[in-house]
Amino acid sequence: MQSYGEISPDGKNVKLNNGTLHPLIGFGTYKVGFVPASSNTADVPGHPPDRQPKDIIKDALATGYRYIDCAQFYGNEAMVGEAITESGVPRSELFLVSKVWGDKMYEGKEAILAQLATSLASLQTDYLDMYLIHWPVPGKHVAAYQVLEECLAAGKVRAIGVSNYTVEDYTELEPHLKVVPVVNQIEVNPFLYRPKTLAFFASKGVVTQSYRALRQGKGMEDATVQAIAQTHNKTPSQVLGRFCVQRGIVLIAKTVRKERMLENLDVFSFQLAEEDMQQLDKLTTEDNLKEYKELYDKCVVRDTPLQATKEGIKAVVTMD
C-alpha cells in the first residue's frame, strides 16, 4: 500500500523533514464564527446558531485535538486564541498552524511580516509551530516563501510550508529554496485522490496535510464508503479519515458537534484492507478533477489585483 509519509511507531504522528513529529489528525477552524466574504460558500454558515464559536474550539481541545489549523483568511484567529487561553491547555501541548493569504503575499514582505505579527497576537502566542503559504499567487509566491524562511530564521515560527501547491508550483519554487517546505496542504479524499501529485511531494520530503478530507460531508452517502464502513463497524467519516492517516497523510477534520469530534478522532483503532483502499481509490472522477482546477484557478488570484486580469494562472498543471 502506497504511503506518503513516515508514520511514527504509535501510528498517530508523521515525521516531518525537520525531525518534528506532526499529529496525524487536527481540527480545522474554517468558518467557525466567521465566514469570509470571498468564500466559495459565503452564503452557507459554518455552524448552527445554537453553537457558540469559542465553545466549538474548546470542545475540540477537550476531546483531545492538539493540532489546530488556522489561517488569516478564516478571520477568526482572535476568537481561537481566546478559546485556547480559556481552555487551559498548555501552549507546549499544542501544534498551531496558520497561513498567509494572497492579498498580503501580493503586497510583499512588510505586509507578510505584519500579518504574522497579527496572527501571533490574535492566537496569544509568541511562535507558530508552522506557517504556510495559503495559495501560490502567480509571480508572488516564491518571494513570499522567502519571507517565511526569514520568519523561521528569526524564531517566530518553528516550521514553514505551502498549501495548494501543484507539482508545477513546487518546481517553480524549488530552485530558490533555502529551507524545504515541511508540508503541502491540499484536498485529499477518495473523491479527489491524486497519487502522482502525492508521490511527487513525498519524493521531495514534503508531508501532505489534507483539508476537505471528509468532503464536507458529501461523501458520507457514497455506497462504496458505506459498505466499507459497515464491514469494519465504523462510520463513513471514520473510513474517510482512515483513508488519509493510513497513508501518512495528515487529516484535518472539521465539525461543530462534540460527538462528531470524538467520532472523527477514532481513526487509529482499525485498518482498511488493501482491497478497501483500492475501491476507494477509484472514486475520483474527471468531473471532480475539473472542479479542482476551477477552484485552483480562482483561488490563486483571489483578493488580489490579478483576480481581474487572471495574469499568471497556469493553464496546465498535474491533475492526478
Side-chain angles (χ1 to χ4, degrees):
M1 185 182 301
Q2 178 69 56
S3 178
Y4 303 104
E6 183 182 344
I7 301 174
S8 61
D10 66 1
K12 296 184 178 181
N13 298 275
V14 64
K15 189 175 182 179
L16 302 178
N17 62 36
N18 65 358
T20 301
L21 289 179
H22 185 331
L24 264 172
I25 186 166
F27 187 78
T29 62
Y30 180 47
K31 294 178 75 173
V32 178
F34 180 83
V35 179
S38 63
S39 167
N40 295 320
T41 54
D43 58 335
V44 181
H47 51 83
D50 66 323
R51 293 291 282 145
Q52 293 300 311
K54 277 201 292 187
D55 289 341
I56 293 170
I57 304 301
K58 287 192 280 189
D59 280 350
L61 292 165
T63 52
Y65 291 88
R66 290 297 179 264
Y67 160 31
I68 306 297
D69 191 75
C70 307
Q72 170 200 338
F73 180 66
Y74 301 169
N76 58 6
E77 289 185 328
M79 178 276 296
V80 173
E82 291 173 5
I84 289 172
T85 298
E86 292 174 14
S87 76
V89 175
R91 175 65 182 89
S92 60
E93 291 185 12
L94 297 173
F95 196 92
L96 291 181
V97 177
S98 187
K99 299 177 280 290
V100 63
W101 190 241
D103 58 347
K104 303 303 180 186
M105 293 166 58
Y106 189 89
E107 291 171 23
K109 178 177 178 177
E110 295 307 316
I112 294 170
L113 294 175
Q115 179 55 48
L116 175 57
T118 297
S119 289
L120 291 171
S122 296
L123 292 168
Q124 301 184 34
T125 184
D126 57 2
Y127 71 94
L128 291 176
D129 293 277
M130 192 182 292
Y131 200 38
L132 310 181
I133 298 292
H134 205 147
W135 285 90
V137 178
K140 300 293 182 178
H141 73 96
V142 172
Y145 188 84
Q146 291 173 326
V147 177
L148 266 58
E149 291 180 326
E150 293 180 25
C151 296
L152 177 67
K156 296 177 182 178
V157 300
R158 294 189 173 179
I160 55 176
V162 297
S163 180
N164 296 296
Y165 270 51
T166 63
V167 169
E168 290 72 19
D169 294 315
Y170 189 86
T171 302
E172 197 171 73
L173 174 65
E174 191 170 29
H176 307 279
L177 290 174
K178 292 181 180 177
V179 179
V180 175
V182 292
V183 302
N184 181 27
Q185 185 178 126
I186 61 176
E187 179 177 348
V188 184
N189 52 63
F191 308 94
L192 193 65
Y193 178 56
R194 300 161 57 214
K196 186 179 293 185
T197 294
L198 292 168
F200 171 84
F201 280 97
S203 75
K204 301 296 182 179
V206 180
V207 165
T208 297
Q209 296 174 330
S210 170
Y211 66 84
R212 289 185 183 169
L214 306 182
R215 194 65 172 167
Q216 297 176 309
K218 298 174 185 176
M220 305 300 183
E221 303 301 319
D222 180 83
T224 299
V225 174
Q226 288 193 338
I228 293 172
Q230 188 172 10
T231 297
H232 293 276
N233 196 28
K234 294 294 180 180
T235 66
S237 66
Q238 289 167 336
V239 168
L240 295 175
R242 184 66 198 174
F243 176 83
C244 288
V245 301
Q246 190 160 310
R247 284 189 161 125
I249 298 170
V250 176
L251 163 67
I252 302 172
K254 164 72 190 304
T255 183
V256 301
R257 298 293 183 188
K258 194 169 185 178
E259 61 271 20
R260 294 284 189 181
M261 295 174 189
L262 289 166
E263 176 184 325
N264 292 338
L265 278 173
D266 184 17
V267 291
F268 302 112
S269 63
F270 71 107
Q271 187 158 340
L272 296 173
E274 179 69 32
E275 182 181 351
D276 296 332
M277 297 294 266
Q278 290 174 356
Q279 290 184 57
L280 293 170
D281 291 350
K282 296 174 182 177
L283 297 180
T284 298
T285 66
E286 287 300 319
D287 284 345
N288 290 350
L289 292 171
K290 181 181 177 182
E291 180 184 336
Y292 153 73
K293 183 58 166 65
E294 290 172 351
L295 181 65
Y296 171 89
D297 290 351
K298 178 179 180 179
C299 290
V300 294
V301 296
R302 185 189 285 177
D303 297 331
T304 76
L306 300 174
Q307 192 167 348
T309 66
K310 312 299 182 188
E311 182 182 349
I313 298 175
K314 294 176 174 62
V316 178
V317 297
T318 301
M319 296 287 281
D320 57 354

